[in-house]
């Protein structure tokens, strides 16, 4: 993609040079494409949804990333959520250095994992016992196996547009009609696996009831993002989560909250504390690893003790509870203010600050979009939000898909050119960190005011 003239972006009050230079990124990315599929280790990073080539990142500091050509960006991806403190927070770096000097992995019990487990159990209302794994995918895959083992049932129900990682049964797309059995959403997923997954529209309790009526005593669990973020941010409708709690309880199925994104992002107790609905199992990831590979699932002692070695449901992992990931997680939660003595309420001051900065950003983006006469819907919960390029409210995946993805792609490119690094898909969430300042907000809004004019050109 041709880059614009080099420009000095002094008017935002912070001199950051966005230059034509992109050569090193292009060289490295070309070499990567010969070595790794699409040059990436996760598809969304390849920028296929927005066009152009991704900058190759050299380092991050606070709210900013710098690419290998020295171009600096204000970062709203934050590695897809984990870096709630911003990049390379000195406290996290120091705790990691100290942990590394003691050894990077033992495959044995450590004090760090015990401390991390205590913090999670203390903070998350529904978790009495937790198991750490190495990714969000592993967390949800394990939680679903536990739900099936605990209930003796095979079917699971998920929501269209919900993403819970790439385990086979979760890569199923809706067939025709409502609450239908899934079809494989990727080659390599056996039809038999996809058929174990029922799909319903997000925020549609009638469809969930229909699924249970149509499959009595067959559904092991319902898995839901309590605030959807993988269709873009879509909040739960009034009563939706409470309804899921009631229906699953009535039918003897488990309710699984996938809080890989929302856990420790929407507050110390995540979405379940925010909305006052307690699931049977909770999946975590991202923030609790402070940027290192991590996942976790947890719930009541009675359910969790079904897991080997105390129970008969099997799950294992060489690097599970890895001391480096635990150290980064403890450092992150500690700096968030959650390291309080047992029984004392967590200090949610960090979350109020995150909410304030994010609200100001989202509100000002709405103003500049109105001024540019570009139709957008901005869905925000706490420090995550999505700018949908549509004039209709977005309450589920069908609504999200009505957004103008070509306009989003133009907006993304125009913002990147102005030093603002957004998730390269209309169906992702912008994330804000404690490191984002008022100056970053002003610079972002100023860049958006210009970029929006390019969207309608
Ligand atoms: P991982 O296996 O990628 O660690 O986590 C899977 C996962 C599970 N649950 C939720 C709610 C998630 O959002 C994710 C992964 N999130 C995506 C971005 N929305 C990761 C980015 C990527 O796939 O590269």
């Amino acid at each position: 993609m041709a880059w614009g003239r080099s420009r000095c972006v002094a008017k935002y009050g912070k001199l950051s040079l966005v230059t034509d230079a992109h050569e090193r990124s292009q060289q490295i990315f070309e070499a990567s494409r010969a070595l790794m599929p699409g040059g990436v280790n996760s598809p969304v990073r390849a920028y296929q949804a927005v066009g152009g080539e991704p900058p190759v990142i050299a380092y991050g500091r606070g709210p900013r990333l710098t690419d290998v050509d020295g171009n600096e960006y204000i970062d709203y991806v934050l590695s897809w959520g984990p870096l709630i403190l911003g990049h390379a927070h000195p406290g996290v770096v120091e705790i990691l250095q100290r942990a590394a000097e003691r050894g990077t992995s033992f495959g044995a019990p450590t004090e760090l994992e015990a401390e991390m487990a205590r913090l999670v159990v203390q903070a998350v209302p529904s978790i009495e016992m937790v198991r750490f794994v190495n990714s969000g995918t592993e967390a949800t895959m394990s939680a679903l196996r536990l739900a099936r083992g605990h209930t003796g049932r095979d079917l699971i129900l998920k929501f269209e547009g919900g993403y819970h990682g790439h385990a086979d049964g979760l890569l199923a797309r809706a067939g025709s009609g409502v609450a239908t059995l899934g079809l494989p959403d990727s080659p390599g997923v056996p039809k038999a696996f996809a058929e174990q997954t029922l799909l319903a529209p997000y925020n549609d309790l009638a469809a969930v009831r229909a699924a249970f009526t149509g499959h009595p005593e067959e559904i092991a669990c319902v898995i839901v993002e309590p605030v959807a973020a993988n269709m873009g941010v879509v909040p739960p409708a009034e009563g939706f989560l409470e309804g899921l709690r009631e229906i699953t309880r009535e039918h003897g199925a488990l309710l699984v909250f996938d809080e890989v994104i929302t856990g420790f992002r929407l507050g110390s107790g995540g979405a379940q504390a925010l909305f006052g609905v307690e699931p049977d199992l909770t999946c975590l990831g991202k923030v609790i690893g402070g940027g290192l590979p991590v996942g976790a699932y947890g719930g009541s002692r009675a359910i969790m003790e079904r897991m080997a070695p105390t129970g008969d449901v099997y799950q294992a992992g060489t690097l599970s509870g890895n001391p480096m990931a635990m150290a980064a997680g403890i450092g992150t939660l500690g700096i968030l203010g959650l390291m309080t003595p047992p029984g004392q309420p967590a200090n949610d001051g960090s979350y109020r600050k995150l909410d304030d900065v994010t609200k100001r950003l989202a509100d000002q983006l709405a103003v500049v979009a109105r001024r540019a006469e570009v139709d957008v819907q901005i869905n925000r919960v706490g420090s995550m939000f999505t700018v949908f390029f549509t004039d209709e409210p977005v309450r589920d995946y069908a609504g999200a898909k009505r957004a103008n993805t070509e306009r989003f792609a133009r907006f993304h490119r125009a913002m990147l050119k102005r030093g603002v690094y957004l998730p390269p898909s209309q169906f992702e969430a912008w994330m804000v960190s404690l490191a984002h300042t008022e100056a970053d907000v002003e610079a972002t809004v100023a860049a958006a005011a210009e970029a929006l004019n390019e969207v309608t050109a």
Side-chain angles (χ1 to χ4, degrees):
M1 176 181 89
W3 282 75
R5 287 178 298 100
S6 60
R7 297 198 334 279
C8 189
V9 188
K11 63 185 166 187
Y12 300 145
K14 172 153 179 52
L15 191 64
S16 74
L17 206 58
V18 179
T19 69
D20 280 349
H22 213 65
E23 288 82 5
R24 271 188 55 67
S25 263
Q26 287 168 342
Q27 283 162 8
I28 294 167
F29 194 60
E30 192 170 337
S32 296
R33 270 202 297 242
L35 298 164
M36 298 172 280
V40 292
N41 285 300
S42 198
V44 69
R45 303 177 192 174
Y47 274 34
Q48 285 181 353
V50 293
E53 288 192 349
V56 172
I57 301 305
Y59 63 87
R61 189 152 300 127
R64 293 178 180 241
L65 289 173
T66 300
D67 70 18
V68 292
D69 294 287
N71 301 305
E72 190 181 78
Y73 307 90
I74 303 170
D75 179 15
Y76 291 100
V77 178
L78 299 175
S79 183
W80 304 94
L83 298 170
I84 197 166
L85 301 178
H87 294 281
H89 186 289
V92 175
V93 172
E94 188 193 340
I95 196 170
L96 271 175
Q97 283 168 335
R98 291 213 305 268
E101 285 156 8
R102 293 198 298 273
T104 54
S105 180
F106 314 110
T110 67
E111 186 177 5
L112 284 167
E113 64 188 3
E115 175 58 10
M116 191 62 196
R118 184 185 74 76
L119 288 170
V120 168
V121 166
Q122 180 181 1
V124 184
S126 65
I127 295 184
E128 292 179 332
M129 189 169 261
V130 64
R131 165 71 56 89
F132 294 107
V133 292
N134 298 284
S135 70
T137 293
E138 223 187 322
T140 58
M141 180 175 71
S142 309
L144 294 185
R145 182 177 308 135
L146 174 53
R148 286 173 160 142
H150 181 74
T151 61
R153 301 176 181 180
D154 289 342
L155 299 188
I156 64 165
L157 185 146
K158 73 175 286 282
F159 295 90
E160 290 153 33
Y163 179 69
H164 308 286
H166 61 85
D168 279 344
L170 288 165
L171 292 183
R173 63 181 161 74
S176 61
V178 160
T180 53
L181 287 172
L183 303 169
D185 199 16
S186 161
V189 172
K191 192 162 174 292
F193 281 38
E195 286 176 345
Q196 302 297 312
T197 303
L198 284 154
L199 288 107
Y202 194 74
N203 280 326
D204 184 341
L205 286 173
V208 175
R209 284 196 187 88
F212 276 93
T213 306
H215 300 275
E217 300 189 14
E218 294 179 78
I219 301 173
C221 69
V222 171
I223 183 167
V224 63
E225 292 177 67
V227 175
N230 285 287
M231 55 181 101
V233 174
V234 176
E238 184 75 30
F240 177 59
L241 298 178
E242 295 81 352
L244 292 180
R245 179 65 286 176
E246 185 190 317
I247 295 169
T248 48
R249 195 163 276 148
E250 184 187 326
H251 290 273
L254 297 190
L255 178 58
V256 182
F257 273 11
D258 179 349
E259 296 223 43
V260 167
I261 286 185
T262 56
F264 294 96
R265 171 156 286 278
L266 298 186
S268 53
Q272 57 194 268
L274 192 62
F275 293 98
V277 176
E278 285 196 21
D280 298 296
L281 288 173
T282 299
C283 303
L284 298 169
K286 297 186 193 261
V287 169
I288 63 165
L292 269 70
V294 75
Y297 60 102
S300 69
R301 187 177 301 282
I303 296 177
M304 287 303 291
E305 285 188 336
R306 287 300 303 265
M307 295 309 295
T310 48
D312 51 358
V313 179
Y314 194 73
Q315 175 266 317
T318 302
L319 294 172
S320 296
N322 172 268
M324 300 293 286
M326 297 295 101
I330 290 167
T332 298
L333 299 192
I335 293 161
L336 279 170
L338 309 188
M339 196 84 81
T340 50
Q344 274 210 11
N347 160 11
D348 271 356
S350 302
Y351 293 105
R352 282 193 296 279
K353 180 167 182 278
L354 276 167
D355 199 64
D356 289 348
V357 173
T358 312
K359 182 177 186 318
R360 253 198 312 285
L361 174 58
D363 290 352
Q364 291 177 42
L365 287 172
V367 166
V368 294
R370 240 187 331 274
R371 204 172 289 151
E373 295 179 351
V374 174
D375 288 327
V376 298
Q377 300 285 323
I378 299 181
N379 287 356
R380 178 181 75 87
V381 180
S383 59
M384 57 192 235
F385 67 97
T386 296
V387 179
F388 289 100
F389 283 78
T390 176
D391 58 356
E392 297 177 34
V394 179
R395 297 196 182 89
D396 59 15
Y397 191 41
K401 285 194 291 187
R402 281 194 288 270
N404 183 327
T405 51
E406 186 34 53
R407 277 194 168 186
F408 174 81
R410 284 201 290 273
F411 179 69
H412 182 277
R413 292 194 293 268
M415 291 292 269
L416 192 67
K417 237 175 17 187
R418 291 170 174 80
V420 180
Y421 189 83
L422 302 181
S425 161
Q426 170 68 95
F427 309 113
E428 294 285 356
W430 300 32
M431 305 278 191
V432 175
S433 81
L434 277 176
H436 284 82
T437 64
E438 202 44 52
D440 295 313
V441 169
E442 283 166 22
T444 304
V445 172
E450 290 182 7
L452 284 162
N453 291 325
E454 287 190 27
V455 159
T456 50

